[in-house]
Amino acid sequence: MSYEYITDYNAASYTPGRQGCEIDKIILHHWGTDGQTFEGVISWFQSPSSPTSAHEVIEAGRVACIVNHYDTAYHAGNWNANLTSIGLECRPEMSAADLETVCERIADLYSIYGVLPLYGHKDFSSTACPGRYYSKLGYIKQRAIEIMNATEEPETEPESEEEEMPQFSNEEAAWLKSLYAKSKADKPSDWAADDLATAVDAGITTGERPQDGCSREEAAIMILRAVEKEEKAE
């Protein structure tokens, strides 16, 4: 945020909690009249004799939260509106810097509560408040959305980790090379091709792995098959 967020002050008049209601709007106000100061307005809200309050007081570069958002401030002149809103007291002169800070603060509120509708105090009570800000409500909302979207982290696809090629020792590489060469030559030698074909036709062997070594159990099975073939031939 580009403004100072101040939480050192507390308004005197408010009701703890919101009686189960949810925040569904933001209501803008302007404080008093031109010429009053940020500190003076906060001091007035702190006075035990003050019957009203707001959640935040805003001027260019500064935002003071004087009532927690989960509590009900007395700002709209309408109890139901108080229960469901956040009230912002803004500097009545509405300089360009004041207006931009209001937009920035609402952008931050939007990031927390979603894009809530904006109203002026006069929408709920017979008053001229929020003065100059009322005609700017549409602009404030759009500008706040722009600020919010510009400050959100862009969605990026996670970087895929490239699979590292396995590293082999010289001995392992030579062994793999020999396996590859053997697979390329996995066919019977010329001198054995005809006899192997005959053995395959007779059902003595499948002809697979013609140049591999033969285990004793494999040899025994092939001999047994040959004997059986001979006995049947007799």
Side-chain angles (χ1 to χ4, degrees):
M1 63 179 68
S2 63
Y3 55 84
E4 179 186 5
Y5 190 62
I6 304 165
T7 58
D8 299 333
Y9 309 106
N10 295 301
S13 299
Y14 68 92
T15 295
R18 288 182 177 268
Q19 298 183 11
C21 297
E22 294 184 359
I23 296 169
D24 62 12
K25 65 179 73 70
I26 296 172
I27 300 176
L28 265 63
H29 306 263
H30 67 176
W31 71 61
T33 59
D34 292 5
Q36 289 182 303
T37 65
F38 181 82
E39 290 82 5
V41 171
I42 293 173
S43 179
W44 186 79
F45 279 130
Q46 287 182 294
S47 171
S49 62
S50 173
T52 62
S53 59
H55 289 95
E56 297 180 354
V57 179
I58 304 175
E59 72 169 1
R62 293 196 291 179
V63 177
C65 181
I66 59 175
V67 175
N68 288 318
H69 293 174
Y70 49 75
D71 292 330
T72 304
Y74 306 155
H75 62 94
N78 177 302
W79 182 240
N80 288 332
N82 285 341
L83 286 172
T84 58
S85 65
I86 294 174
L88 305 180
E89 284 282 352
C90 308
R91 183 171 177 265
E93 287 87 340
M94 199 187 76
S95 68
D98 292 330
L99 184 60
E100 184 66 6
T101 297
V102 170
C103 293
E104 290 175 358
R105 181 54 187 158
I106 291 175
D108 288 340
L109 293 175
Y110 279 175
S111 69
I112 299 170
Y113 300 104
V115 180
L116 302 177
L118 296 182
Y119 295 95
H121 185 183
K122 65 191 298 182
D123 291 322
F124 301 93
S125 299
S126 179
T127 175
C129 181
R132 298 176 176 95
Y133 291 92
Y134 194 74
S135 65
K136 292 288 188 179
L137 290 179
Y139 167 81
I140 292 170
K141 180 178 180 179
Q142 291 305 313
R143 176 61 182 148
I145 292 172
E146 289 176 5
I147 295 170
M148 178 181 66
N149 290 337
T151 55
E152 287 181 346
E153 291 291 332
E155 294 184 3
T156 56
E157 294 183 2
E159 296 182 3
S160 59
E161 297 182 2
E162 294 184 1
E163 294 184 5
E164 296 183 0
M165 293 297 291
Q167 301 297 315
F168 299 108
S169 65
N170 292 337
E171 293 78 7
E172 291 171 330
W175 177 70
L176 289 172
K177 186 176 180 180
S178 68
L179 286 180
Y180 176 74
K182 185 175 181 181
S183 68
K184 295 291 286 185
D186 196 15
K187 59 182 180 179
S189 301
D190 293 341
W191 58 266
D194 291 342
D195 291 338
L196 181 61
T198 300
V200 172
D201 290 341
I204 296 171
T205 180
T206 62
E208 296 176 347
R209 300 181 290 111
Q211 297 191 38
D212 275 5
C214 178
S215 67
R216 292 184 179 184
E217 56 190 2
E218 289 174 325
I221 291 171
M222 286 189 286
I223 292 171
L224 179 59
R225 287 174 179 172
V227 171
E228 291 176 344
K229 291 289 183 183
E230 184 67 23
E231 290 177 348
K232 288 180 180 180
E234 294 177 353

